[in-house]
Amino acid sequence: MRLISRLRYFANGVAIDEFDAATQTFLSVQDNIQRILNSRRGGLAHLPDYGLGDLSRIYRHLPASAHTLKNEIETTLLRYEPRLKAIDLTIEETEPGMLLSFTMSCHLHRLGLVQFGTHFAPDGQTRLKLLKADRERE
C-alpha cells in the first residue's frame, strides 16, 4: 500500500479528499511549515539544523529579536520545505494572547502564492492560519 493512500487527514483533522489537488498542496505545505516551526534545532540527530533555535532567547529580547527570528525562519523553511521558491515575512501587530505575529507569504514552485498568519504562543507552539491561496495562471 502506498504511503499517500494511508494518509487520509491533514494535521488539523480535515479529510484530504475534501479538497482539490492545488488546495491539498497548500494545506500540505501549511502542515509541514507548522511541523518545522514547532521543532527545535538539535532535536533530530540526522538533521541537526532542522527546526528553530531556542525561542526563549528570542522571546526574552523582543521586540529587538523579531528580525533575528524572521531571518531564521526564512533560512530554515527554504532549506526544509522544497515546494517553496521564496518566502516573505512581515512582522505584524501581535495578536491577543500571542508573543509575536507574522504574515508569511510563501511563493511555491509551479503553484502560486499562499499566505499564513503565523503566531508564536506563550506555550512554545507556533500556529499557522491560512489567509490566502492564489494559484498561478497557466
Side-chain angles (χ1 to χ4, degrees):
M1 179 181 264
R2 290 180 32 196
L3 177 61
I4 195 69
S5 64
R6 288 189 224 172
L7 301 175
R8 304 235 187 271
Y9 300 94
F10 289 105
N12 65 3
V14 176
I16 289 172
D17 60 4
E18 289 186 28
F19 302 100
D20 61 57
T23 303
Q24 287 176 9
T25 300
F26 291 138
L27 294 173
S28 175
V29 167
Q30 178 180 350
D31 279 356
N32 194 40
I33 289 174
Q34 189 159 302
R35 189 173 298 107
I36 294 167
L37 296 181
N38 283 312
S39 298
R40 296 297 163 254
R41 204 172 292 131
L44 298 174
H46 64 290
L47 297 172
D49 63 341
Y50 181 87
L52 298 178
D54 181 7
L55 290 179
S56 64
R57 290 181 57 217
I58 297 288
Y59 295 160
R60 251 192 318 270
H61 297 97
L62 284 173
S65 61
H67 290 283
T68 301
L69 179 59
K70 177 181 178 275
N71 293 335
E72 188 175 331
I73 290 169
E74 289 170 352
T75 301
T76 303
L77 292 181
L78 287 171
R79 180 174 178 127
Y80 288 107
E81 175 45 80
R83 295 169 288 190
L84 294 179
K85 69 177 171 184
I87 182 171
D88 298 309
L89 283 157
T90 305
I91 299 169
E92 301 291 348
E93 185 174 326
T94 303
E95 287 210 355
M98 298 293 161
L99 297 173
L100 189 60
S101 295
F102 293 97
T103 295
M104 183 184 308
S105 298
C106 300
H107 305 273
L108 306 180
H109 294 284
R110 299 180 311 272
L111 195 55
L113 171 76
V114 62
Q115 288 183 326
F116 303 106
T118 308
H119 309 285
F120 289 82
D123 65 4
Q125 294 296 299
T126 304
R127 294 174 177 82
L128 268 68
K129 178 181 176 186
L130 182 64
L131 299 177
K132 180 179 177 182
D134 288 330
R135 294 176 180 100
E136 287 182 353
R137 306 278 188 251
E138 297 184 24

